[in-house]
Short mmCIF file of all heavy atoms in Angstrom, two decimals:
data_model
loop_
_atom_site.label_atom_id
_atom_site.label_comp_id
_atom_site.label_asym_id
_atom_site.label_seq_id
_atom_site.Cartn_x
_atom_site.Cartn_y
_atom_site.Cartn_z
N GLY F 362 65.28 142.64 88.49
CA GLY F 362 66.09 142.21 87.37
C GLY F 362 65.78 140.77 86.98
O GLY F 362 64.99 140.07 87.65
N ASP F 363 66.40 140.33 85.91
CA ASP F 363 66.17 138.96 85.43
C ASP F 363 66.99 137.96 86.26
O ASP F 363 68.08 138.28 86.76
CB ASP F 363 66.56 138.85 83.96
CG ASP F 363 65.60 139.62 83.05
OD1 ASP F 363 64.43 139.80 83.46
OD2 ASP F 363 66.04 140.08 81.97
N VAL F 364 66.45 136.77 86.35
CA VAL F 364 67.12 135.70 87.10
C VAL F 364 68.21 135.09 86.23
O VAL F 364 67.95 134.66 85.10
CB VAL F 364 66.12 134.61 87.53
CG1 VAL F 364 66.84 133.49 88.29
CG2 VAL F 364 65.02 135.21 88.40
N SER F 365 69.45 135.06 86.76
CA SER F 365 70.57 134.47 86.02
C SER F 365 70.98 133.11 86.56
O SER F 365 71.72 132.36 85.89
CB SER F 365 71.79 135.41 86.04
OG SER F 365 72.21 135.62 87.38
N GLY F 366 70.53 132.76 87.76
CA GLY F 366 70.87 131.45 88.32
C GLY F 366 70.15 131.22 89.63
O GLY F 366 69.80 132.17 90.35
N VAL F 367 69.94 129.94 89.96
CA VAL F 367 69.25 129.54 91.20
C VAL F 367 70.01 128.38 91.82
O VAL F 367 70.49 127.48 91.11
CB VAL F 367 67.78 129.14 90.92
CG1 VAL F 367 67.15 128.54 92.17
CG2 VAL F 367 66.98 130.33 90.44
N ALA F 368 70.12 128.41 93.15
CA ALA F 368 70.78 127.31 93.88
C ALA F 368 70.03 127.09 95.19
O ALA F 368 69.64 128.04 95.86
CB ALA F 368 72.24 127.64 94.16
N PHE F 369 69.86 125.80 95.55
CA PHE F 369 69.18 125.43 96.79
C PHE F 369 70.20 125.16 97.88
O PHE F 369 71.32 124.69 97.61
CB PHE F 369 68.31 124.18 96.59
CG PHE F 369 67.07 124.43 95.78
CD1 PHE F 369 67.05 124.26 94.41
CD2 PHE F 369 65.90 124.84 96.41
CE1 PHE F 369 65.91 124.48 93.67
CE2 PHE F 369 64.74 125.07 95.68
CZ PHE F 369 64.75 124.89 94.30
N SER F 370 69.82 125.44 99.12
CA SER F 370 70.65 125.03 100.26
C SER F 370 70.60 123.52 100.39
O SER F 370 69.76 122.85 99.78
CB SER F 370 70.16 125.71 101.55
OG SER F 370 68.82 125.32 101.84
N HIS F 371 71.49 122.97 101.22
CA HIS F 371 71.61 121.51 101.28
C HIS F 371 70.35 120.84 101.81
O HIS F 371 70.06 119.69 101.46
CB HIS F 371 72.81 121.14 102.15
CG HIS F 371 72.66 121.53 103.59
ND1 HIS F 371 72.77 122.84 104.03
CD2 HIS F 371 72.39 120.80 104.69
CE1 HIS F 371 72.59 122.89 105.33
NE2 HIS F 371 72.36 121.67 105.76
N ASP F 372 69.58 121.52 102.65
CA ASP F 372 68.35 120.92 103.19
C ASP F 372 67.11 121.36 102.41
O ASP F 372 65.99 120.91 102.73
CB ASP F 372 68.19 121.27 104.66
CG ASP F 372 68.20 122.78 104.91
OD1 ASP F 372 68.39 123.55 103.94
OD2 ASP F 372 68.04 123.18 106.08
N GLY F 373 67.26 122.23 101.41
CA GLY F 373 66.13 122.65 100.59
C GLY F 373 65.26 123.71 101.22
O GLY F 373 64.25 124.11 100.62
N SER F 374 65.61 124.20 102.40
CA SER F 374 64.77 125.19 103.07
C SER F 374 64.99 126.60 102.53
O SER F 374 64.11 127.46 102.66
CB SER F 374 65.04 125.18 104.58
OG SER F 374 66.40 125.53 104.84
N LYS F 375 66.14 126.87 101.92
CA LYS F 375 66.46 128.19 101.39
C LYS F 375 66.83 128.05 99.92
O LYS F 375 67.34 127.02 99.47
CB LYS F 375 67.64 128.83 102.14
CG LYS F 375 67.43 128.97 103.64
CD LYS F 375 66.42 130.03 103.97
CE LYS F 375 66.37 130.31 105.46
NZ LYS F 375 66.02 129.13 106.26
N VAL F 376 66.58 129.12 99.16
CA VAL F 376 66.95 129.17 97.76
C VAL F 376 67.67 130.49 97.51
O VAL F 376 67.24 131.55 97.99
CB VAL F 376 65.73 129.01 96.83
CG1 VAL F 376 64.71 130.11 97.05
CG2 VAL F 376 66.16 128.97 95.38
N PHE F 377 68.81 130.41 96.80
CA PHE F 377 69.61 131.59 96.46
C PHE F 377 69.36 131.91 94.99
O PHE F 377 69.59 131.06 94.12
CB PHE F 377 71.09 131.33 96.69
CG PHE F 377 71.44 130.94 98.09
CD1 PHE F 377 71.47 129.61 98.47
CD2 PHE F 377 71.75 131.90 99.05
CE1 PHE F 377 71.80 129.24 99.77
CE2 PHE F 377 72.08 131.55 100.34
CZ PHE F 377 72.10 130.21 100.70
N ALA F 378 68.92 133.13 94.72
CA ALA F 378 68.64 133.57 93.35
C ALA F 378 69.59 134.69 92.98
O ALA F 378 69.67 135.70 93.69
CB ALA F 378 67.19 134.02 93.22
N ASN F 379 70.32 134.50 91.88
CA ASN F 379 71.28 135.49 91.42
C ASN F 379 70.63 136.35 90.34
O ASN F 379 70.04 135.83 89.38
CB ASN F 379 72.52 134.78 90.87
CG ASN F 379 73.70 135.72 90.75
OD1 ASN F 379 73.64 136.87 91.18
ND2 ASN F 379 74.79 135.23 90.17
N SER F 380 70.75 137.66 90.50
CA SER F 380 70.15 138.59 89.56
C SER F 380 71.20 139.07 88.57
O SER F 380 72.39 139.14 88.88
CB SER F 380 69.54 139.78 90.31
OG SER F 380 69.19 140.81 89.42
N GLU F 381 70.75 139.43 87.36
CA GLU F 381 71.66 139.98 86.38
C GLU F 381 72.20 141.33 86.81
O GLU F 381 73.19 141.81 86.26
CB GLU F 381 70.97 140.09 85.02
CG GLU F 381 70.74 138.75 84.34
CD GLU F 381 70.22 138.90 82.92
OE1 GLU F 381 69.96 140.06 82.52
OE2 GLU F 381 70.07 137.88 82.23
N GLU F 382 71.57 141.95 87.78
CA GLU F 382 72.03 143.24 88.29
C GLU F 382 73.13 143.09 89.34
O GLU F 382 73.58 144.10 89.91
CB GLU F 382 70.85 144.02 88.89
CG GLU F 382 69.79 144.38 87.85
CD GLU F 382 68.64 145.16 88.44
OE1 GLU F 382 68.63 145.34 89.68
OE2 GLU F 382 67.75 145.57 87.68
N GLY F 383 73.55 141.85 89.65
CA GLY F 383 74.65 141.63 90.58
C GLY F 383 74.22 141.45 92.02
O GLY F 383 75.07 141.49 92.92
N GLU F 384 72.94 141.24 92.27
CA GLU F 384 72.43 141.05 93.63
C GLU F 384 72.02 139.59 93.82
O GLU F 384 71.58 138.92 92.87
CB GLU F 384 71.24 141.96 93.92
CG GLU F 384 71.62 143.43 94.03
CD GLU F 384 70.43 144.29 94.40
OE1 GLU F 384 69.33 144.00 93.90
OE2 GLU F 384 70.59 145.24 95.18
N VAL F 385 72.15 139.14 95.06
CA VAL F 385 71.78 137.77 95.42
C VAL F 385 70.65 137.85 96.46
O VAL F 385 70.79 138.54 97.48
CB VAL F 385 72.98 136.99 95.99
CG1 VAL F 385 72.55 135.58 96.39
CG2 VAL F 385 74.12 136.92 94.97
N TYR F 386 69.56 137.13 96.19
CA TYR F 386 68.40 137.10 97.08
C TYR F 386 68.33 135.73 97.75
O TYR F 386 68.53 134.70 97.09
CB TYR F 386 67.11 137.36 96.31
CG TYR F 386 67.02 138.76 95.72
CD1 TYR F 386 67.69 139.08 94.53
CD2 TYR F 386 66.27 139.75 96.33
CE1 TYR F 386 67.61 140.34 93.97
CE2 TYR F 386 66.17 141.03 95.78
CZ TYR F 386 66.85 141.31 94.60
OH TYR F 386 66.77 142.58 94.06
N VAL F 387 67.99 135.75 99.04
CA VAL F 387 67.84 134.51 99.81
C VAL F 387 66.37 134.40 100.19
O VAL F 387 65.83 135.26 100.92
CB VAL F 387 68.73 134.51 101.06
CG1 VAL F 387 68.62 133.16 101.78
CG2 VAL F 387 70.19 134.79 100.69
N TRP F 388 65.71 133.34 99.72
CA TRP F 388 64.28 133.14 99.96
C TRP F 388 64.08 131.93 100.86
O TRP F 388 64.78 130.93 100.77
CB TRP F 388 63.54 132.90 98.65
CG TRP F 388 63.48 134.11 97.75
CD1 TRP F 388 64.44 134.52 96.89
CD2 TRP F 388 62.41 135.04 97.64
NE1 TRP F 388 64.05 135.66 96.24
CE2 TRP F 388 62.79 136.01 96.69
CE3 TRP F 388 61.15 135.17 98.26
CZ2 TRP F 388 61.98 137.07 96.33
CZ3 TRP F 388 60.34 136.24 97.88
CH2 TRP F 388 60.75 137.17 96.95
N ASP F 389 63.06 132.04 101.70
CA ASP F 389 62.62 130.92 102.53
C ASP F 389 61.52 130.18 101.77
O ASP F 389 60.49 130.78 101.40
CB ASP F 389 62.10 131.41 103.88
CG ASP F 389 61.72 130.27 104.79
OD1 ASP F 389 62.60 129.76 105.52
OD2 ASP F 389 60.55 129.86 104.79
N MET F 390 61.72 128.91 101.50
CA MET F 390 60.80 128.16 100.67
C MET F 390 59.46 127.89 101.33
O MET F 390 58.44 127.76 100.64
CB MET F 390 61.44 126.81 100.26
CG MET F 390 62.59 126.94 99.28
SD MET F 390 62.09 127.68 97.72
CE MET F 390 61.04 126.40 97.07
N ARG F 391 59.42 127.85 102.63
CA ARG F 391 58.15 127.56 103.31
C ARG F 391 57.24 128.78 103.35
O ARG F 391 56.04 128.69 103.10
CB ARG F 391 58.43 127.05 104.73
CG ARG F 391 59.11 125.69 104.76
CD ARG F 391 59.29 125.21 106.19
NE ARG F 391 59.94 123.89 106.21
CZ ARG F 391 60.24 123.23 107.31
NH1 ARG F 391 59.94 123.76 108.52
NH2 ARG F 391 60.83 122.05 107.24
N SER F 392 57.83 129.93 103.68
CA SER F 392 57.02 131.14 103.82
C SER F 392 57.02 132.00 102.56
O SER F 392 56.27 132.98 102.48
CB SER F 392 57.53 131.98 105.00
OG SER F 392 58.88 132.37 104.78
N SER F 393 57.91 131.65 101.59
CA SER F 393 58.05 132.43 100.35
C SER F 393 58.41 133.89 100.64
O SER F 393 57.93 134.82 99.98
CB SER F 393 56.76 132.37 99.50
OG SER F 393 56.50 131.04 99.13
N ARG F 394 59.24 134.10 101.66
CA ARG F 394 59.68 135.44 102.03
C ARG F 394 61.17 135.58 101.76
O ARG F 394 61.94 134.62 101.91
CB ARG F 394 59.41 135.72 103.51
CG ARG F 394 57.92 135.83 103.86
CD ARG F 394 57.71 136.01 105.35
NE ARG F 394 58.42 137.19 105.85
CZ ARG F 394 59.51 137.14 106.62
NH1 ARG F 394 60.03 135.97 106.97
NH2 ARG F 394 60.09 138.26 107.04
N CYS F 395 61.59 136.80 101.39
CA CYS F 395 63.00 137.08 101.19
C CYS F 395 63.62 137.38 102.55
O CYS F 395 63.27 138.37 103.20
CB CYS F 395 63.17 138.27 100.25
SG CYS F 395 64.89 138.70 99.91
N VAL F 396 64.53 136.53 103.00
CA VAL F 396 65.12 136.66 104.34
C VAL F 396 66.44 137.43 104.32
O VAL F 396 66.90 137.90 105.36
CB VAL F 396 65.32 135.28 104.99
CG1 VAL F 396 63.98 134.59 105.23
CG2 VAL F 396 66.22 134.39 104.13
N ASN F 397 67.07 137.57 103.16
CA ASN F 397 68.31 138.34 103.09
C ASN F 397 68.57 138.73 101.63
O ASN F 397 68.07 138.09 100.69
CB ASN F 397 69.50 137.53 103.63
CG ASN F 397 70.70 138.41 103.92
OD1 ASN F 397 70.58 139.63 104.06
ND2 ASN F 397 71.87 137.81 104.02
N ARG F 398 69.39 139.77 101.51
CA ARG F 398 69.72 140.28 100.17
C ARG F 398 71.07 140.99 100.26
O ARG F 398 71.29 141.80 101.15
CB ARG F 398 68.62 141.24 99.71
CG ARG F 398 68.94 142.02 98.44
CD ARG F 398 67.82 143.00 98.18
NE ARG F 398 68.12 143.92 97.09
CZ ARG F 398 67.33 144.94 96.74
NH1 ARG F 398 66.20 145.16 97.40
NH2 ARG F 398 67.67 145.73 95.73
#
Side-chain angles (χ1 to χ4, degrees):
D363 291 333
V364 179
S365 61
V367 171
F369 287 92
S370 62
H371 65 286
D372 56 357
S374 62
K375 303 289 189 300
V376 60
F377 302 91
N379 197 6
S380 169
E381 288 188 355
E382 296 180 356
E384 290 183 322
V385 178
Y386 294 80
V387 184
W388 292 83
D389 184 87
M390 290 299 292
R391 293 183 180 179
S392 61
S393 298
R394 292 176 58 252
C395 181
V396 295
N397 196 19
R398 170 185 172 185

